[in-house]
Amino acid sequence: MRFAHVFIAFEEFISFSVYQVVELISSAIGDLVQGIYYENSYSAEDGLGEGVDVTSWEDQTFLSHGALLAKSCQAAMQLAKHDREAQRLAYLYGKHLSLGHKLNSDLQPFVKTRLAEITSFSLSAAPVVLHRQIVGKEKWHQHLQEARTLRNQLDYTKLLAAVKSEKGVSSAVDLCRYHSNMALEAIQAFPSSEARSALENIATAVTKF
Amino acid sequence: MCCRRFSSGFTTSGLFDTLRCFRGSSGYSSASSTGRTSWSSAPRKERRPLFPARIHSKALNLRPSVIRHRCRSLHPTLQSCSCRATHSDAKLRDPFTLAQKDLTSLYDDIKKELFVAKTELKYLCDYYFDGRGKAIRPIIVVLMARAMNIHSNRAGDLLPGQRTIAMISEMIHTASLVHDDVIDRSDERRGKRSINDVWGEKKAILAGDFILSAATMALARIGNSTVVKVLSHVIEDLVRGEFMQLGSKENEDERFKHYLEKTYKKTASLMAHSCKAVCILVNSDPEVHEIAYQYGKNVGIAFQLVDDVLDFTSGAEQLGKPAAVDLKLGLATGPVLFACQQFPELHALIMRRFSSKGDVDRAWQYVLQSDGVQQTTYLARRYCEEAIRQISRLQPSPERDALIRLTEIVLSRDK
């Protein structure tokens, strides 16, 4: 019951009388649960299902990877009694940073130079999703077919090569940079400080491969 | 029309004295044929269970009605009270009737809180909010709220926050059931397949988490930090209670204490804190909060004790789940713990959690041959008496009387 651990943590800051924060973090847990639920639902073959595109990937990824950080950042602002605008900016930083980080993580198998390191990757990883969107359903199924071994298993090295041959990887890199920039934009609205610099460094770091 | 003739002399310390008698004192184990001799704390009047030898020979065919008969004869005052009450009075005090108005849309409202876009997860979360549950917790919460409102010189009507607490109590309870079924690998619940049986363990865990998160959001929206604090305890208690259940104690004395503490955490804590929460919303007197808390706690423990008894005495058709479940899960509940004092052979079975072949059946037989069931029922009655004593301190109201009546319903349930 991981939820219970978070809840026990609540008991510590509840003395601040901020039930709004409780609501916000609880909603983040609800988001996380939904995100994990659907991440687990997808079969290895389908990835995100037939109607997948960048927007739905971002929505899904926000639930499973972004909501907690975004809402925690917002909650931190609430606790310190900052205004709505500060809360919004903090939320945006958390959201875009998480998405950027997930993109970086998804890209790892595709940007590593040594092929020997790769055993498999998720078919819902951003480069694959983007690849599918770019090449279309039919070509994607063709790639899948070509990557099947005689024992009906996926040869990930072949599939990797197929994805890398098209624009999926570079699109994912662009998207990663986009979210990094959005995070920077949000945090730079705050006055400069050591803490802000650190947050800027983190936002920049997600674009490094 | 309150029955003030109830035992006012029974205090909490009296109960602990009673329990001390259970801890292997010499007068106990030899008392199988002559009835108890060691109830030094309880006055010798109607409160002692008188179990002549013939009860034991009939124990194998023990039916709930026999227990009920015995219990009723212990409390002539209680019986005469309900006999004297007129039909309309009885109806007025009926908890289900009184609470009905507030609860008609309870399950629909809960489903509205389970706001999730994806169809399948939504279906899972709604699965047990189908009106088939007993809804005993919301009923208690609603009645307590009204009783407290009247006691605090307000109109009886529920405040929105109090109604939300009723919903939350049922949501937390349901979420814990969903998780418990995963832990226990149960395939049936309330007459249908469990969520983990249909959709698998992963999804069941997530559904339980989601219901909990929705409950805490609703809790936060009440806008009262004290209430949030009070109900936060519940979730921690639920988890700790479950962990306690997974462990066991070697020492017989510790075992009973462990059992009652686990029972408090797993069942009574939710009722106690929910009652306290609705009280906090209308009354600032900590003594009054304590009345609410103690009522919930005592009824909660009694409720679970009866549940544990029913696992031995009830057939599968009535319960909606197969009986002897606790034994099969390796759990030694009240009836077994009491039986162990008469049949020390049970020690070994308890310690290995009834895991050897034939253990479950053997334990069952020992329990039915012992007075474990009666003792547990009697203990439940003592807790109910304490609950009544507490709630009687409130100003009279139909809801307060319904709460008193509820304790009798808890004791006499057959499912």
Side-chain angles (χ1 to χ4, degrees):
Chain A
M1 280 195 177
R2 76 187 142 261
F3 182 85
H5 293 294
V6 178
F7 215 73
I8 291 166
F10 281 170
E11 292 197 272
E12 287 166 15
F13 66 69
I14 278 184
S15 50
F16 290 94
S17 300
V18 279
Y19 40 83
Q20 298 105 324
V21 171
V22 174
E23 189 181 351
L24 190 57
I25 301 296
S26 300
S27 78
I29 292 176
D31 293 340
L32 184 57
V33 167
Q34 281 191 76
I36 296 174
Y37 191 97
Y38 280 91
E39 224 173 46
N40 271 303
S41 289
Y42 304 131
S43 68
E45 299 246 325
D46 260 339
L48 277 164
E50 285 300 334
V52 68
D53 61 5
V54 170
T55 316
S56 53
W57 181 90
E58 282 187 334
D59 288 343
Q60 167 60 38
T61 305
F62 174 73
L63 285 178
S64 57
H65 287 80
L68 189 55
L69 187 60
K71 292 182 177 182
S72 301
C73 289
Q74 182 184 351
M77 295 293 109
Q78 275 184 354
L79 277 169
K81 303 212 193 309
H82 287 292
D83 63 19
R84 284 215 158 278
E85 182 58 12
Q87 291 180 34
R88 189 186 73 89
L89 291 165
Y91 175 92
L92 286 174
Y93 176 83
K95 171 182 164 180
H96 289 293
L97 179 69
S98 310
L99 290 173
H101 181 267
K102 181 68 166 76
L103 282 153
N104 183 301
S105 169
D106 281 0
L107 276 161
Q108 291 302 314
F110 300 87
V111 299
K112 280 197 194 345
T113 45
R114 288 202 272 164
L115 282 173
E117 292 170 20
I118 300 138
T119 46
S120 74
F121 49 85
S122 165
L123 294 187
S124 3
V128 182
V129 170
L130 286 161
H131 171 80
R132 284 171 69 170
Q133 193 176 355
I134 292 168
V135 305
K137 201 166 68 170
E138 278 183 33
K139 203 157 179 208
W140 165 245
H141 282 295
Q142 189 193 331
H143 285 156
L144 273 178
Q145 245 345 85
E146 285 165 7
R148 285 217 180 282
T149 65
L150 286 167
R151 278 188 292 171
N152 211 28
Q153 287 182 324
L154 266 183
D155 181 349
Y156 281 94
T157 326
K158 266 195 190 159
L159 200 57
L160 187 86
V163 173
K164 280 172 92 161
S165 70
E166 302 279 353
K167 298 243 182 293
V169 177
S170 58
S171 303
V173 172
D174 288 343
L175 191 59
C176 178
R177 289 204 181 110
Y178 165 76
H179 284 293
S180 165
N181 288 333
M182 293 296 285
L184 281 171
E185 203 180 288
I187 202 67
Q188 276 158 0
F190 290 96
S192 67
S193 65
E194 272 189 21
R196 194 189 90 172
S197 305
L199 289 168
E200 285 170 314
N201 291 342
I202 296 171
T204 313
V206 300
T207 60
K208 304 277 181 274
F209 295 99
Chain B
M1 185 99 62
C2 166
C3 307
R4 286 208 182 274
R5 283 160 277 170
F6 284 158
S7 45
S8 51
F10 175 60
T11 60
T12 332
S13 59
L15 175 66
F16 288 155
D17 285 338
T18 304
L19 286 178
R20 239 176 269 133
C21 294
F22 292 157
R23 290 179 201 163
S25 57
S26 55
Y28 202 82
S29 48
S30 60
S32 54
S33 54
T34 55
R36 297 292 153 264
T37 54
S38 53
W39 292 74
S40 47
S41 58
R44 286 179 165 266
K45 285 188 287 191
E46 65 266 17
R47 236 172 282 122
R48 266 175 60 190
L50 303 169
F51 297 121
R54 62 185 169 83
I55 276 289
H56 294 288
S57 60
K58 280 195 182 167
L60 286 168
N61 298 318
L62 202 64
R63 297 184 316 281
S65 56
V66 177
I67 302 172
R68 253 173 273 147
H69 170 74
R70 289 280 147 203
C71 287
R72 212 176 285 142
S73 69
L74 292 171
H75 291 271
T77 50
L78 177 59
Q79 188 180 17
S80 60
C81 255
S82 30
C83 283
R84 249 181 246 176
T86 61
H87 179 68
S88 62
D89 278 351
K91 212 175 168 201
L92 269 178
R93 290 190 305 133
D94 176 47
F96 301 102
T97 316
L98 271 178
Q100 197 179 2
K101 202 163 22 91
D102 291 313
L103 295 179
T104 39
S105 60
L106 179 87
Y107 289 110
D108 288 333
D109 290 340
I110 289 177
K111 286 193 243 190
K112 281 183 206 152
E113 295 292 330
L114 297 167
F115 187 74
V116 52
K118 306 288 175 81
T119 327
E120 192 186 81
L121 179 56
K122 171 71 174 151
Y123 190 84
L124 261 67
C125 289
D126 285 354
Y127 193 72
Y128 290 126
F129 297 114
D130 54 3
R132 280 203 245 183
K134 297 185 275 285
I136 197 108
R137 289 157 188 81
I139 287 173
I140 290 175
V141 170
V142 157
L143 292 174
M144 178 62 74
R146 285 180 171 269
M148 281 300 169
N149 294 354
I150 292 169
H151 179 83
S152 315
N153 299 315
R154 297 162 154 258
D157 293 335
L158 287 187
L159 296 176
Q162 292 173 323
R163 199 158 178 288
T164 306
I165 290 169
M167 283 166 54
I168 290 166
S169 68
E170 190 66 3
M171 289 167 85
I172 293 177
H173 171 62
T174 305
S176 73
L177 292 181
V178 172
H179 282 170
D180 278 356
D181 285 343
V182 173
I183 294 171
D184 298 339
R185 300 203 180 119
S186 299
D187 51 24
E188 201 186 334
R189 158 84 54 196
R190 290 185 188 165
K192 50 188 188 183
R193 287 173 71 194
S194 63
I195 290 181
N196 47 296
D197 194 51
V198 180
W199 287 279
E201 297 185 329
K202 281 185 199 161
K203 290 185 175 178
I205 290 170
L206 292 169
D209 282 347
F210 193 85
I211 297 170
L212 271 176
S213 79
T216 51
M217 285 178 73
L219 173 61
R221 277 198 294 271
I222 295 174
N224 184 307
S225 308
T226 316
V227 166
V228 172
K229 248 198 242 194
V230 164
L231 283 167
S232 298
H233 284 303
V234 175
I235 300 196
E236 181 176 350
D237 284 344
L238 282 171
V239 175
R240 290 199 197 277
E242 192 61 28
F243 269 102
M244 286 182 80
Q245 193 166 275
L246 293 171
S248 34
K249 295 282 176 193
E250 282 209 21
N251 186 307
E252 197 187 320
D253 287 346
E254 280 183 19
R255 236 183 254 154
F256 210 92
K257 191 170 151 223
H258 181 94
Y259 167 65
L260 287 175
E261 209 186 307
K262 178 226 78 170
T263 299
Y264 165 75
K265 288 197 193 306
K266 280 204 72 177
T267 310
S269 173
L270 176 55
M271 290 187 194
H273 287 104
S274 305
C275 286
K276 185 173 174 179
V278 291
C279 178
I280 285 169
L281 287 176
V282 293
N283 196 302
S284 57
D285 183 353
E287 278 191 34
V288 181
H289 300 168
E290 189 63 11
I291 292 173
Y293 177 85
Q294 287 297 336
Y295 175 86
K297 173 184 158 190
N298 283 283
V299 164
I301 295 178
F303 186 85
Q304 187 59 51
L305 291 173
V306 171
D307 213 54
D308 293 343
V309 162
L310 287 172
D311 198 48
F312 284 91
T313 60
S314 180
E317 324 85 64
Q318 279 175 304
L319 271 180
K321 57 179 157 99
V325 172
D326 292 331
L327 284 178
K328 288 170 188 162
L329 286 172
L331 303 175
T333 58
V336 172
L337 295 176
F338 280 117
C340 190
Q341 284 162 333
Q342 288 173 280
F343 297 103
E345 302 91 306
L346 270 171
H347 279 301
L349 275 71
I350 291 173
M351 285 317 298
R352 59 176 186 251
R353 299 176 80 90
F354 314 105
S355 55
S356 297
K357 192 168 180 218
D359 273 359
V360 170
D361 280 323
R362 272 180 72 198
W364 175 291
Q365 291 299 324
Y366 282 131
V367 167
L368 293 188
Q369 285 172 51
S370 72
D371 59 3
V373 161
Q374 293 95 307
Q375 293 291 343
T376 311
T377 308
Y378 181 80
L379 188 60
R381 182 163 284 276
R382 298 298 291 268
Y383 277 105
C384 283
E385 285 170 13
E386 178 62 13
I388 292 170
R389 195 185 72 81
Q390 291 284 346
I391 201 74
S392 303
R393 293 164 61 196
L394 293 184
Q395 291 296 316
S397 64
E399 285 79 11
R400 185 197 70 172
D401 293 346
L403 286 169
I404 290 171
R405 168 86 189 104
L406 193 75
T407 65
E408 189 60 22
I409 292 173
V410 162
L411 288 170
S412 59
R413 35 185 286 250
D414 57 8
K415 59 172 168 145

